[in-house]
Amino acid sequence: MSVPVREHHGGRLHEAARRWGIPVSDWLDLSTGISPFAWPVPALPASVWQRLPDEDDGLEALCRHWLAVPGEAGCLPVPGSQAALQLLPRLRTTCRVGVPLPGYREHALAWQREGHEVVPLSVEQIDAALPDLDVLVCINPNNPTGHLYPTDTLLRWHQQLTAKGGWLVVDEAFLDASDGDSLVSRCDQPGLIVLRSLGKFFGLAGLRAGVMVGPVAVCEALADQLGPWALSHPARWVMAQAVQDRGWQQLQRERLRQARQRLNELLSKAGLFPQGDSDLFALCVHDEAEAIRDGLARQGILVRHFKQPGALRFGLPENESEEQRLLLALQTLPV
């Protein structure tokens, strides 16, 4: 079994600035899958800063409406889906857990940290491995590949797992900016847990806000692990406003789709071949991925490099000026 190591996440801008000797203010940071178009946060009432958060403030009901959560399912606002994925492994006795490879390594780390046996799996390996798994984690769409799992495949895997008391955990942090279907509507069934985030699609990564949907008992147990006031009052207030803004969400989907199309054209023009079904980032597999990463960094452009397979993940430029800067930089490299 390969041992997962601490993820070097995107957004390590200060580290890049030190390494390449370029001031932070001069960088174009395309290293994350966070929307460059953020939901416009209004001024917060003074009371939001002065009072402790109140779990009876109606946020759960708003999240239920936003995601169309079934009445029989639990719905727990959390301080980012990261907090939920880190604590979920505490809620099961030691078991065997399948995690995506490649994929966001924090899932594997969280289960391994609590003593579970972690089994990294490619998409093609899951069916054969499933009879020996107690839990399967899927990222839909996957980070970093952008791969979307068919809904019927996920439901088939869930049925196999729940028949033996297992779990299917689906991380839908990037789903809003894709054509994928959420499994939230199926979370009235045992053993199905879905994680959602406001960080990526809403462009509010610093808010640290998300939702876990799943069996009521699992949501209650995770709430106990989080303890009181885990989600700050400002985060709860902003989250409540953002999830109700359906008009902005519709505009955001179209804006992200157009930005991804432009990024695809730009990368293709530069000799790279973008892939993936997320409108928040594109993955380009290339034999000289590390050299391209370094060549862009020398020009103050930060992208995410992956070693196996050698690939680069490009986040969305915010405007035409940033798109042109990326294109011109790529044209100086032997792509």
Side-chain angles (χ1 to χ4, degrees):
M1 180 185 70
S2 60
V3 179
V5 296
R6 171 62 60 183
E7 181 90 355
H8 280 193
H9 305 287
R12 299 166 68 91
L13 189 54
H14 288 274
E15 180 181 303
R18 289 191 298 270
R19 176 179 178 184
W20 299 100
I22 300 172
V24 169
S25 59
D26 292 345
W27 283 84
L28 171 56
D29 186 1
L30 304 178
S31 66
T32 75
I34 299 166
S35 169
F37 319 113
W39 183 77
V41 178
L44 275 63
S47 60
V48 171
W49 300 105
Q50 295 166 341
R51 299 175 187 168
L52 287 170
D54 183 356
E55 294 181 1
D56 195 26
D57 58 3
L59 178 59
E60 180 187 329
L62 292 172
C63 290
R64 283 183 173 275
H65 182 68
W66 168 47
L67 297 173
V69 177
E72 299 81 3
C75 178
L76 179 67
V78 293
S81 54
Q82 176 71 30
L85 74 85
Q86 286 183 188
L87 294 175
L88 272 175
R90 297 184 184 180
L91 307 184
R92 290 193 66 100
T93 56
T94 304
C95 63
R96 188 174 169 87
V97 183
V99 298
L101 181 71
Y104 184 53
R105 291 197 193 105
E106 292 291 338
H107 286 286
L109 283 168
W111 288 95
Q112 187 183 56
R113 190 180 297 118
E114 298 301 323
H116 301 279
E117 182 182 355
V118 172
V119 185
L121 298 168
S122 67
V123 175
E124 297 77 17
Q125 294 173 321
I126 292 176
D127 276 308
L130 205 61
D132 296 321
L133 298 179
D134 302 292
V135 175
L136 175 64
V137 176
C138 292
I139 306 168
N140 198 36
N142 181 272
N143 174 24
T145 67
H147 171 78
L148 267 173
Y149 294 88
T151 299
D152 58 351
T153 299
L154 290 170
L155 292 176
R156 175 168 54 81
W157 291 342
H158 167 250
Q159 187 175 31
Q160 289 180 250
L161 289 161
T162 196
K164 53 184 177 180
W167 286 356
L168 175 65
V169 179
V170 186
D171 182 347
E172 294 183 352
F174 291 94
L175 190 75
D176 288 299
S178 77
D179 289 328
D181 295 322
S182 174
L183 289 192
V184 164
S185 64
R186 311 296 185 107
C187 281
D188 53 350
Q189 303 176 36
L192 179 58
I193 298 165
V194 173
L195 306 177
R196 298 294 289 257
S197 169
L198 264 72
K200 311 302 189 299
F201 175 79
F202 287 86
L204 297 175
L207 190 66
R208 309 312 306 138
V211 182
M212 186 180 85
V213 181
V216 172
V218 175
C219 290
E220 290 176 345
L222 194 113
D224 287 341
Q225 289 289 327
L226 286 169
W229 312 306
L231 186 58
S232 74
H233 199 168
R236 294 184 74 93
W237 190 90
V238 172
M239 190 175 182
Q241 315 312 310
V243 300
Q244 294 181 82
D245 195 346
R246 298 298 183 120
W248 181 90
Q249 292 169 38
Q250 185 58 40
L251 289 172
Q252 178 78 330
R253 289 186 182 92
E254 184 57 32
R255 176 166 49 187
L256 291 174
R257 178 149 304 179
Q258 292 175 4
R260 172 63 198 273
Q261 290 173 351
R262 292 194 302 272
L263 178 61
N264 282 353
E265 293 170 5
L266 182 158
L267 293 171
S268 298
K269 187 182 296 185
L272 295 171
F273 301 96
Q275 64 184 51
D277 296 308
S278 170
D279 287 334
L280 285 166
F281 60 84
L283 188 78
C284 299
V285 177
H286 198 282
D287 291 341
E288 299 298 326
E290 185 171 6
I292 296 170
R293 186 275 312 272
D294 290 350
L296 290 173
R298 282 190 285 270
Q299 299 177 71
I301 299 177
L302 186 61
V303 298
R304 183 73 186 279
H305 171 238
F306 295 88
K307 293 183 178 180
Q308 295 179 343
L312 299 168
R313 190 187 65 190
F314 291 82
L316 299 177
E318 184 176 2
N319 49 48
E320 184 178 356
S321 175
E322 291 187 355
E323 292 170 358
Q324 286 303 306
R325 180 178 173 184
L326 175 60
L327 178 60
L328 290 173
L330 285 168
Q331 289 176 341
T332 69
L333 304 175
V335 177

